[in-house]
Amino acid sequence: MRLLTFVTLVLALPVLAIFGSWLGFDAASLEVLRHQAATVLPGYAWTSLWLSLLVAAGVAAVGGLTAAAVTLFDFPGRRTFEWALLLPLAMPAYVLAYAYTDFLQYGGPLETAWRAWSGSTQRLLPDVRSLWGAVLMFVFCLYPYVYLLTRAALAERGVQLMEAARLLGAGVARRVRTVALPLARPALAAGVALALMETLADFGVVSYFGLHTFTTGIYRAWLSMGDRVAAAQLATVLLLVVAVLLWLEHRAQRRLRFATARPGAAQGQEARPIALRGGRAALAWAVCALPVLLGFVLPVLVLLHLLWQEARYADVGIPWARFAQWGWTSLRLAAWAALVAVGLALALAFALRERPGPGLRAAARVVSLGYAVPGAVIAVGILLPAGWVQARWPDTGATALVTGTALGLLYAYLVRFSAVALQSVESGYARIPGTLDESARMLGATRWRLLGRVHLPLLRRSALAAALLVFVDVMKELPATYVLRPFNSDTLAVIAYQMAKDERLGEAALPSLAIVLVGLVPVILLSRALRQRG
């Protein structure tokens, strides 16, 4: 038990290091803080604020409307859209940005067709590499968070309550306004909070589009100016904002649990979604089709076109040997991270089931918070103590151990993604009755035999799901990998970012498509699970 508590404290070290950096606050640190407040900090805050507000409004509108359409109404294609609306989950926001940069740039297909048709030399649309472009990337990539939670909330009792309101004489508009919207409000808030945490943690889109946010500021302060004090201060601000969002998300989740149906309550299976015909059916179809088209279908087609152009016209063709090396590095890191994260999750969940003391509960809470910490903050939180140890004991080679080997990367992955594994394993344990443990003990089973012979076979699917989720998250991870990767250990995400940043979008297409292909696996499994539950 003490070992598990120690391990969880080690996982909390990056966050503690960020806050601990303020213990050495002196006149020089105060001068750095004043300089940032007078120069870059207002711009970072302003851009991050506008980005967050616009993304929040966008994901709430897109996710809420699509969830209401497929849950409360019946129209042609509804069953297909139930799973198709999840497809943008497989598309990282930075890959979406690469595809739309090629499609919407001045020499891209859309602008070229516009000039040929109109004879004008002016642009049809403003430059996508801007604030509005970043907002669209995040909205069409992150709206599934809102869609999933809102759909679950409305599917629980929405159709039944809408039917009851109809019997009381309420029209469709009034039913949606007074019944569906209040029922979905906690789910909307929780989904928006999750989307905003992902937005503020992003590095690929905002860096590629040249936006000045807290995340890009952290990298600029550390990598360009070599100012670790400024980087720690910016990381602290970002961490505090994320903590507020996490608190709001947990509060919304608690309200969401109160809004669900009670066990044993009548579910009203005779109630059916409202059938739509004619123009209303076409409108519902368009509302659901547009996010799928813009968030998945069109970007994939653009990337495939770029890959075809690269294979046909490039001097050296597709670099299959280098792609195999990048892919192997990504697969190796993701597999090791998934294996260790699932092992830690199994041990911690088993300990919580056996001896749920306050210390272990606090340790599990620490692990569960890791997913909310941005990758940029984790990277700074790892490098700060490594630099302090290196300065105090130069012969230890602490910085070389962190940045010169894969240990630093694996550590960062465990800090961020152990929460994903723990949540999946705990959900598996929730389906194992406690009487099974009591029966095994009565038959003389020891703790380890109980875990190995009883729990693990029953947790096989949950453990595999946890490993898959961690594996895919590591494959897509960019901010921490970009800073902590060892020499000659580029992953698919890093190499796609570097090629896109160098305007080599054709070469970035292959690793980007590989990331999307891997990301499709959990989306397909999630779609199957939702269909079986429905």
Side-chain angles (χ1 to χ4, degrees):
M1 301 302 175
R2 292 180 179 178
L3 178 61
L4 282 176
T5 304
F6 173 75
V7 170
T8 55
L9 289 176
V10 171
L11 294 180
L13 182 61
V15 175
L16 297 177
I18 294 294
F19 289 115
S21 65
W22 290 84
L23 295 177
F25 194 80
D26 52 15
S29 301
L30 179 61
E31 183 60 30
V32 171
L33 184 60
R34 286 176 175 172
H35 177 71
Q36 290 197 101
T39 55
V40 297
L41 198 56
Y44 294 158
W46 187 251
T47 304
S48 299
L49 176 63
W50 272 111
L51 185 64
S52 300
L53 291 176
L54 294 173
V55 169
V59 295
V62 176
L65 286 174
T66 52
V70 300
T71 307
L72 304 179
F73 303 100
D74 190 16
F75 55 92
R78 179 176 73 94
R79 290 293 184 184
T80 301
F81 285 124
E82 284 182 348
W83 61 265
L85 283 163
L86 297 173
L87 290 176
L89 278 176
M91 184 76 63
Y94 56 83
V95 172
L96 206 65
Y98 306 156
Y100 273 106
T101 296
D102 178 78
F103 184 70
L104 298 178
Q105 64 184 343
Y106 188 77
L110 183 63
E111 294 288 346
T112 302
W114 161 254
R115 292 194 300 273
W117 177 77
S118 65
S120 173
T121 59
Q122 301 297 318
R123 294 183 63 100
L124 175 64
L125 296 173
D127 189 6
V128 70
R129 297 172 72 167
S130 59
L131 180 63
W132 76 267
V135 169
L136 291 180
M137 300 304 109
F138 288 124
V139 168
F140 288 116
C141 178
L142 300 176
Y143 81 84
Y145 287 110
V146 179
Y147 165 75
L148 274 172
L149 294 176
T150 306
R151 177 186 165 188
L154 292 176
E156 186 76 27
R157 299 183 67 188
V159 176
Q160 293 79 24
L161 293 178
M162 290 275 285
E163 177 66 14
R166 185 190 68 82
L167 295 175
L168 292 174
V172 174
R174 187 180 178 187
R175 277 179 270 167
V176 172
R177 185 177 66 254
T178 61
V179 176
L181 184 59
L183 188 65
R185 191 177 293 124
L188 282 170
V192 167
L194 289 172
L196 288 183
M197 282 191 280
E198 292 288 343
T199 301
L200 292 174
D202 176 80
F203 171 73
V205 175
V206 292
S207 175
Y208 184 59
F209 281 5
L211 302 179
H212 302 301
T213 63
F214 283 111
T215 306
T216 56
I218 291 171
Y219 284 91
R220 187 176 295 110
W222 187 282
L223 299 178
S224 299
M225 298 186 294
D227 194 339
R228 64 179 184 179
V229 175
Q233 291 173 352
L234 291 173
T236 305
V237 175
L238 180 58
L239 192 58
L240 291 175
V241 174
V242 170
V244 172
L245 289 173
L246 187 63
W247 175 77
L248 292 174
E249 190 268 338
H250 284 170
R251 183 183 178 189
Q253 288 283 9
R254 288 196 299 270
R255 293 176 59 194
L256 184 59
R257 285 194 290 269
F258 283 114
T260 57
R262 298 171 182 169
Q267 296 298 311
Q269 294 296 330
E270 69 278 359
R272 293 290 182 268
I274 302 172
L276 300 179
R277 298 289 183 270
R280 290 185 175 182
L283 179 61
W285 192 92
V287 165
C288 294
L290 193 62
V292 179
L293 175 65
L294 298 180
F296 185 80
V297 177
L298 181 59
V300 168
L301 292 177
V302 172
L303 291 174
L304 288 173
H305 178 68
L306 285 171
L307 184 61
W308 175 77
Q309 285 186 318
E310 185 70 17
R312 184 172 182 179
Y313 299 112
D315 294 334
V316 295
I318 297 177
W320 292 111
R322 287 189 296 163
F323 173 75
Q325 180 183 357
W326 304 325
W328 171 244
T329 301
S330 301
L331 291 172
R332 186 177 71 250
L333 290 171
W336 274 109
L339 182 64
V340 178
V342 171
L344 175 62
L346 286 169
L348 188 55
F350 178 70
L352 286 171
R353 186 179 177 90
E354 289 290 293
R355 298 179 183 176
L360 272 180
R361 289 191 180 277
R365 183 68 173 170
V366 169
V367 173
S368 65
L369 293 177
Y371 193 71
V373 182
V377 175
I378 292 175
V380 173
I382 291 174
L383 291 173
L384 279 175
W388 181 82
V389 171
Q390 182 70 31
R392 188 71 180 269
W393 297 287
D395 295 334
T396 58
T399 54
L401 185 66
V402 171
T403 60
T405 68
L407 292 179
L409 268 182
L410 289 176
Y411 179 36
Y413 295 152
L414 290 176
V415 171
R416 182 132 205 265
F417 301 125
S418 292
V420 178
L422 181 61
Q423 184 178 13
S424 180
V425 172
E426 283 185 326
S427 67
Y429 260 121
R431 295 190 292 270
I432 301 177
T435 54
L436 199 62
D437 296 15
E438 297 173 4
S439 300
R441 290 192 187 95
M442 290 178 63
L443 294 173
T446 62
R447 292 179 59 205
W448 296 113
R449 192 173 183 185
L450 174 64
L451 174 62
R453 299 290 297 274
V454 179
H455 290 174
L456 288 183
L458 296 174
L459 291 172
R460 185 180 294 112
R461 294 184 64 182
S462 297
L464 288 175
L468 176 63
L469 290 174
V470 174
F471 184 90
V472 173
D473 279 335
V474 171
M475 289 285 290
K476 295 192 294 185
E477 207 284 331
L478 175 62
T481 309
Y482 185 69
V483 175
L484 298 174
R485 72 193 190 281
F487 177 74
N488 201 28
S489 296
D490 289 331
T491 63
L492 291 173
V494 170
I495 206 68
Y497 170 75
Q498 289 179 331
M499 288 181 173
K501 191 176 180 181
D502 294 340
E503 301 301 331
R504 297 153 63 190
L505 291 173
E507 296 179 59
L510 182 59
S512 299
L513 283 170
I515 295 171
V516 174
L517 186 62
V518 172
L520 276 175
V521 177
V523 172
I524 293 172
L525 296 179
L526 178 60
S527 301
R528 290 180 58 186
L530 290 175
R531 286 200 301 271
Q532 291 173 0
R533 186 179 302 176

